[in-house]
Amino acid sequence: MLRFLRRALFFAIVSFLLAAGVYLTTASFHERWHGFVTGELAQHGVHLDFERLAINPFGGLVARGVRVYNDVSKRHLVASVDRLNLDVDFGSLVEGRVQIEGMELLHASVALPVDPDRPDLTVIELKDLSARALLEGRRLEIRHAEGLLSDGLHILISGVLELPAPSPDQQGMSADQRMNLMREHREQIQHGLDWLARFRAPHVPTLSVKVSGALERPDEIKAELLFQADGLAFEDYVWNELVAEAEYDGGFIDLKRLHLRDHLGIMDATATWRLGSDQLRFRLTSSADLPGLARAFLNNEGLREVVFYEAPQLALEGSVLLKKKSPDDMLPVNVTGSLDCGRFGSRGEVFNSLSLTLGATPQGIYVKDALLKHKTGSLVLNVMHHQEMGFKAELLLRMHPTVFLPFVLLPKTREIIQRFEFNDDSQVDVHVSTAGPKLNLRESPTSGHGVIRNFRYKGVPFESAEMDLAFLGDIQNYANVKIQRPDGPAEAELVFVNDDDNEKWLKLVNVRALADAAGIVRAFAPKVADQIERYRFSAGTDVTANGVIGYKGNPQLNDYKVAFKNPVGGAHYVLWDEDYPITAPNGEVHIVGNMLNFDFNGRLFGDTMHAKGAVNLTPGVRGYDVVVQAGRFPYSVFGKKLPFEEVRAEVRNRDGLARIDIAADVLGGDMTLKGTLNENREPNSYDGELRMNALSFHKFAQVYSPGNESVGDISGHFKFAGRMNDWKTLKGGGALIIVNGNLLALPVLGPLTPIIGAILPSPIKGYNVAKKADCTFEVSDGFIVTDNVEAESSAFRIVSRGNIDFIRDDIDFNAEVRMRGLGILLFPVTQLLAYKGSGTLKDTRWSPRIFGGGNNDERKPPTEQELREAQRIGGNPAKPRVNASPPKQKALFGN
């Protein structure tokens, strides 16, 4: 029986518990207690609703599908929680009252809409949230709250909050005001989370928050925040350590400490900001890789080119303006600071250090005492840009400007810098200042002074250059220029440059050099320098240049003169590939457009010399005029220097076809040479005519046969054609006449005269004086060929024919001699008066034909066809060839 009673009691208790459990999980229990719970929480200022309420078997109530609202109207959703445990007093619950003592979340998910009016849009999510809070009256104590905010931030929350008053009549912020404030805070939180999502980290960063204050007055809530992260990375930049400590007090944010550490150093910063304020105050010191940080966040490829070998030291203090007061503001900051950094490199250049102080306001910025050091020197810069005061800058450059070439983007600036070449001994000292209404160097006048030593400009070497500088836009002005070149000094009153794209020119005013004449001019006018360089002026030549030079495709602007003078020096003049030294050169070069005009005086071979002409410098055009006059001009003819005097040579070239006209006095007579030279084909071809008139036979013999001088004169002409540097192509013909000349002085026939004289009765006065000697001749294939050399004296008459191989200097002549008026029989053998000539022009050997003679290795003379072509060119009448043969017996007795 007792056992039965115990079982019955146990069954009743279990049945009651099961029934209670079923009841507590049914809709009936939810409907009965829903109002009690929401009402109780509303008394504490917490307005919520939930989908289902049940008793937790382990104690308390469990609310599922919880929605928290801003106020009693439940129009604005503040948060959504999937599950909320409520600690209740079960004694009160049995009595039909609900007394909530605390709340707990275990691995719950919380959704916080950014805009409570549109909860379907962006939502801030808290996952795996576990929290424990005690509720005592209007006091909510958060003992511990921990969760994951949007998968990117581990958050820890603790603190004490005062819940809103249940009565709307109590003082405090209105529901709409609270809503607007919450919306603003959540937007900022969402922006922060979006920004944080861009980072990578091996561990989730942690944010610890400790709060206190009244929820009814959210603008007065206080919070302490601590953010910690290790190995936080953004693109290629990594923070090894990041710690941020901040306080929030009623809308005032105080960043007490921001500590960053990267591979170079650390950065520490503090900042303060009141919500809604347009100004954030800060202080920062750093030895971290700020360019690396900046290039990561600013995505600037230029910053990626900077590499620091030592940590840069940066100190900044001031405020950041979050809203522009004026659309014309330059920068939204009020800041001062300094920067010091050691070695760094960029675009292949390594700099030793950089230091500066700086400041910035919305109206302007300044950089003061900026000092950049490089192995070649240093740069000091002060610059200011202000809305009202305009732009001002001062620069002291003591390093090679070519260092900045990799950083210059403007083509004009690059072109100017590239004109210079520096070496280890080069020195630069340039001080310039500029000012203007705006930050535009082209519109800001710039002036200063510069000294450069040991450099090259456009390839021209300079030991030093000192000048006053002035720039404005495309205009460059170099005044009071003093230059020292390796071969002497130079100076200029003014060099004025217009570098406009449409009209590039420079003006030279009194540019003067006591140096290599071409050297200083080459820096400004390379083509003119090429012309002057041909003269090879000696050092100390006084050169002056004045006028306007067009460049970069603007030769039509050319109108300038270059004058030169050296009373004791020398120069050289090249004529027909011969180099002639000139003393006391004096003249000028005048360039107008593409035409170079020159007028040159000096002394040549101890007498006066003058050259004048013009050269067309247009690319692809060959044209020039040259007139040369010389009082004396020795020139080698047949191995002897002939003293040409009063020489006048005129050459005119049009499109490569040169016309030559030369006249001179020589050996007491005169000569002319006229012809053409075609430079349009290779080798150059030529043709012309040489004429000699009444040359003194006496002077001729003094040169070619000293001791055999006599009276008489020589005349002749030679028409010819050929190709340069190829004597075998020379063809033509001419004639030669000698009157009253000494036969002993004649080339070729001279050595024959004594042989003839040996068989004459002695003495016969004047046997060697030719009353007349003449011949016609042809030139072809390297030979001079004649069939009718006739020389007649009072005692005999010589008839000769043969050829001269002037390439090999070899002769082959036959001669016949007839006696005149002697009336005697000399020899019974007629061959004794027929002779054979061989040897060279200088050493002609004659022998009777009975003994043979001639050269054994003779080159064959021209053919009949070649001689006819030479006759056509020379203008000689065609005549049959006469074979050399012994004279007839009757020819020995004269006529």
Side-chain angles (χ1 to χ4, degrees):
M1 185 64 181
L2 182 59
R3 178 182 294 179
F4 174 76
L5 290 175
R6 285 201 303 268
R7 289 181 177 178
L9 179 61
F10 176 75
F11 178 75
I13 294 173
V14 172
S15 298
F16 174 78
L17 292 175
L18 290 174
V22 172
Y23 171 72
L24 293 175
T25 57
T26 61
S28 298
F29 179 82
H30 169 77
E31 292 172 359
R32 177 182 177 88
W33 294 97
H34 177 274
F36 291 148
V37 173
T38 56
E40 174 66 15
L41 292 174
Q43 291 296 320
H44 296 283
V46 180
H47 306 283
L48 56 75
D49 198 357
F50 44 82
E51 296 176 356
R52 191 168 185 78
L53 183 68
I55 293 182
N56 189 339
F58 300 99
L61 298 176
V62 178
R64 300 183 184 276
V66 180
R67 296 179 297 280
V68 183
Y69 295 96
N70 179 46
D71 58 11
V72 68
S73 67
K74 298 183 179 180
R75 290 184 298 108
H76 298 115
L77 181 66
V78 175
S80 297
V81 184
D82 58 349
R83 174 174 173 169
L84 176 64
N85 294 335
L86 301 173
D87 292 341
V88 298
D89 183 354
F90 276 100
S92 300
L93 189 63
V94 173
E95 296 175 359
R97 295 183 295 106
V98 177
Q99 183 177 346
I100 299 177
E101 298 177 342
M103 293 175 287
E104 184 179 27
L105 295 173
L106 293 175
H107 306 293
S109 295
V110 179
L112 306 172
V114 172
D115 186 352
D117 287 333
R118 297 292 305 275
D120 55 321
L121 298 179
T122 307
V123 174
I124 299 174
E125 293 183 341
L126 272 169
K127 298 180 180 179
D128 198 22
L129 178 62
S130 296
R132 177 69 177 167
L134 300 180
L135 186 59
E136 183 178 349
R138 292 174 55 200
R139 183 174 181 272
L140 177 66
E141 180 182 356
I142 304 173
R143 294 281 182 89
H144 177 77
E146 181 177 2
L148 191 62
L149 184 61
S150 296
D151 292 329
L153 184 64
H154 183 208
I155 187 167
L156 301 171
I157 303 175
S158 64
V160 178
L161 295 173
E162 182 182 340
L163 300 175
S167 172
D169 297 333
Q170 296 184 15
Q171 294 182 351
M173 186 178 288
S174 67
D176 289 340
Q177 290 174 325
R178 290 198 304 273
M179 195 73 263
N180 291 333
L181 189 59
M182 273 190 280
R183 180 184 294 111
E184 182 179 341
H185 287 185
R186 289 187 184 180
E187 287 178 353
Q188 293 169 354
I189 292 173
Q190 183 61 57
H191 290 325
L193 291 174
D194 292 341
W195 186 76
L196 191 61
R198 300 161 66 189
F199 290 84
R200 312 182 308 276
H203 307 289
V204 178
T206 299
L207 176 63
S208 299
V209 182
K210 184 177 181 181
V211 297
S212 63
L215 289 177
E216 191 174 39
R217 298 183 297 279
D219 56 330
E220 298 178 2
I221 288 178
K222 298 181 180 180
E224 297 178 3
L225 298 93
L226 174 62
F227 181 83
Q228 294 177 299
D230 294 328
L232 196 62
F234 183 83
E235 294 190 356
D236 60 348
Y237 182 78
V238 179
W239 282 308
N240 298 330
E241 180 184 5
L242 171 59
V243 178
E245 298 180 30
E247 285 189 0
Y248 174 85
D249 188 354
F252 184 81
I253 299 176
D254 182 9
L255 179 62
K256 292 185 173 182
R257 180 191 181 210
L258 175 62
H259 175 80
L260 303 174
R261 181 172 59 85
D262 62 15
H263 67 288
L264 277 185
I266 61 174
M267 181 180 76
D268 288 307
T270 61
T272 58
W273 177 52
R274 182 174 293 280
L275 290 178
S277 171
D278 60 357
Q279 185 171 256
L280 183 151
R281 298 186 177 275
F282 74 97
R283 178 178 294 176
L284 179 147
T285 60
S286 172
S287 61
D289 184 8
L290 291 180
L293 178 63
R295 66 174 175 255
F297 288 97
L298 300 179
N299 195 27
N300 189 312
E301 292 298 325
L303 291 172
R304 296 181 185 275
E305 298 174 351
V306 182
V307 178
F308 284 90
Y309 304 103
E310 301 175 22
Q313 305 291 324
L314 176 66
L316 292 177
E317 183 176 0
S319 59
V320 176
L321 304 180
L322 304 180
K323 296 180 181 178
K324 278 191 173 183
K325 293 184 179 180
S326 168
D328 297 329
D329 287 350
M330 292 184 180
L331 292 173
V333 295
N334 278 295
V335 114
T336 59
S338 63
L339 172 66
D340 288 281
C341 65
R343 292 178 67 247
F344 68 96
S346 180
R347 300 189 183 184
E349 289 291 344
V350 177
F351 297 91
N352 295 336
S353 65
L354 171 65
S355 63
L356 57 87
T357 59
L358 58 89
T361 68
Q363 291 75 39
I365 59 174
Y366 74 85
V367 175
K368 185 178 179 182
D369 299 329
L371 176 60
L372 178 65
K373 292 185 178 181
H374 186 263
K375 66 180 181 180
T376 63
S378 63
L379 178 147
V380 178
L381 176 66
N382 292 291
V383 60
M384 180 195 72
H385 183 207
H386 195 274
Q387 287 179 337
E388 297 179 358
M389 301 175 65
F391 167 72
K392 296 180 180 180
E394 290 186 357
L395 179 144
L396 178 58
L397 180 67
R398 288 176 174 166
M399 70 168 63
H400 300 174
T402 51
V403 171
F404 303 103
L405 196 58
F407 309 95
V408 176
L409 300 179
L410 295 177
K412 287 186 178 180
T413 306
R414 290 182 60 86
E415 194 273 334
I416 292 175
I417 295 176
Q418 287 173 333
R419 297 174 187 173
F420 291 87
E421 298 176 43
F422 298 94
N423 55 46
D424 293 340
D425 296 327
S426 301
Q427 297 178 7
V428 178
D429 191 345
V430 178
H431 186 189
V432 296
S433 59
T434 182
K438 296 184 293 185
L439 181 58
N440 188 332
L441 291 176
R442 290 183 55 82
E443 299 178 2
S444 301
T446 301
S447 61
H449 187 78
V451 180
I452 310 177
R453 293 182 173 86
N454 300 319
F455 69 101
R456 287 178 175 267
Y457 182 80
K458 290 186 176 180
V460 179
F462 292 86
E463 291 181 354
S464 67
E466 182 175 2
M467 66 197 73
D468 296 325
L469 311 169
F471 308 103
L472 178 60
D474 293 320
I475 302 300
Q476 305 166 31
N477 193 324
Y478 307 92
N480 303 318
V481 181
K482 296 181 180 179
I483 292 173
Q484 182 67 46
R485 283 185 24 87
D487 48 14
E491 60 184 29
E493 182 178 325
L494 176 66
V495 178
F496 189 90
V497 182
N498 183 352
D499 203 28
D500 183 84
D501 288 335
N502 299 319
E503 192 174 88
K504 294 178 179 288
W505 53 271
L506 63 87
K507 183 177 181 180
L508 308 178
V509 179
N510 293 333
V511 175
R512 183 170 181 266
L514 289 173
D516 174 17
I520 190 67
V521 176
R522 187 172 299 282
F524 306 104
K527 289 186 177 180
V528 178
D530 290 340
Q531 297 294 325
I532 296 176
E533 191 172 45
R534 297 170 59 186
Y535 298 124
R536 286 180 286 157
F537 290 98
S538 61
T541 301
D542 189 350
V543 181
T544 59
N546 286 276
V548 176
I549 302 175
Y551 64 99
K552 296 291 186 181
N554 289 306
Q556 67 273 13
L557 301 175
N558 289 339
D559 188 359
Y560 60 98
K561 294 181 180 180
V562 179
F564 43 85
K565 180 172 64 175
N566 192 337
V568 296
H572 291 259
Y573 192 85
V574 177
L575 182 64
W576 299 309
D577 298 326
E578 290 290 334
D579 193 337
Y580 298 98
I582 300 170
T583 57
N586 180 12
E588 73 172 19
V589 175
H590 185 192
I591 292 86
V592 179
N594 274 325
M595 294 303 299
L596 182 149
N597 306 280
F598 61 91
D599 195 337
F600 185 89
N601 292 284
R603 298 191 66 80
L604 178 65
F605 299 113
D607 208 330
T608 60
M609 179 265 185
H610 179 218
K612 185 176 182 179
V615 179
N616 193 328
L617 302 179
T618 304
V621 175
R622 287 181 293 181
Y624 56 85
D625 295 335
V626 180
V627 177
V628 179
Q629 292 176 318
R632 186 169 182 269
F633 195 87
Y635 194 77
S636 180
V637 178
F638 296 125
K640 300 291 185 177
K641 288 281 187 178
L642 292 186
F644 292 91
E645 298 174 340
E646 302 301 325
V647 179
R648 183 181 184 278
E650 181 175 343
V651 181
R652 300 187 183 277
N653 186 302
R654 295 294 182 271
D655 297 324
L657 186 63
R659 299 189 180 277
I660 303 168
D661 189 350
I662 302 173
D665 295 341
V666 60
L667 300 178
D670 60 82
M671 59 79 61
T672 61
L673 172 64
K674 296 183 179 181
T676 60
L677 174 65
N678 191 341
E679 298 177 343
N680 294 316
R681 62 179 64 177
E682 291 293 339
N684 301 155
S685 62
Y686 58 85
D687 61 73
E689 181 177 12
L690 172 67
R691 287 189 172 274
M692 299 180 295
N693 181 41
L695 272 64
S696 168
F697 200 89
H698 177 76
K699 293 182 179 181
F700 177 85
Q702 285 180 327
V703 175
Y704 291 100
S705 184
N708 294 307
E709 297 86 350
S710 70
V711 296
D713 56 58
I714 305 173
S715 298
H717 73 274
F718 174 43
K719 294 183 69 175
F720 56 87
R723 293 194 297 270
M724 294 294 292
N725 302 319
D726 187 356
W727 286 109
K728 295 187 68 175
T729 64
L730 178 64
K731 288 182 171 61
L736 189 66
I737 301 174
I738 300 174
V739 178
N740 298 324
N742 189 344
L743 295 176
L744 294 174
L746 288 178
V748 181
L749 293 182
L752 177 61
T753 306
I755 297 175
I756 299 173
I759 64 174
L760 294 176
S762 181
I764 299 179
K765 183 178 179 181
Y767 79 93
N768 57 340
V769 175
K771 295 180 180 180
K772 181 180 179 182
D774 60 31
C775 72
T776 60
F777 61 89
E778 284 76 41
V779 177
S780 180
D781 196 35
F783 284 86
I784 300 175
V785 179
T786 179
D787 285 336
N788 55 3
V789 178
E790 295 185 9
E792 185 175 353
S793 73
S794 60
F796 55 84
R797 179 169 177 258
I798 301 175
V799 177
S800 179
R801 52 188 169 273
N803 60 74
I804 302 173
D805 185 346
F806 58 83
I807 294 178
R808 297 176 56 184
D809 191 13
D810 181 53
I811 69 170
D812 181 14
F813 265 80
N814 293 318
E816 300 170 357
V817 180
R818 293 184 181 182
M819 302 303 166
R820 298 174 58 85
L822 297 180
I824 58 173
L825 177 63
L826 299 179
F827 291 99
V829 184
T830 59
Q831 278 81 356
L832 291 179
L833 294 181
Y835 296 91
K836 176 71 173 179
S838 61
T840 66
L841 280 173
K842 293 181 180 180
D843 185 19
T844 304
R845 299 183 299 275
W846 288 92
S847 59
R849 286 186 58 84
I850 193 172
F851 300 119
N855 296 338
N856 296 326
D857 57 347
E858 293 176 350
R859 191 164 64 91
K860 291 182 179 181
T863 64
E864 290 291 339
Q865 182 178 356
E866 290 173 328
L867 286 175
R868 283 195 295 271
E869 174 66 14
Q871 290 169 358
R872 182 189 65 80
I873 295 174
N876 290 340
K879 52 185 182 295
R881 292 277 289 168
V882 179
N883 295 324
S885 59
K888 302 293 184 179
Q889 180 69 34
K890 65 179 181 179
L892 299 177
F893 296 96
N895 294 326

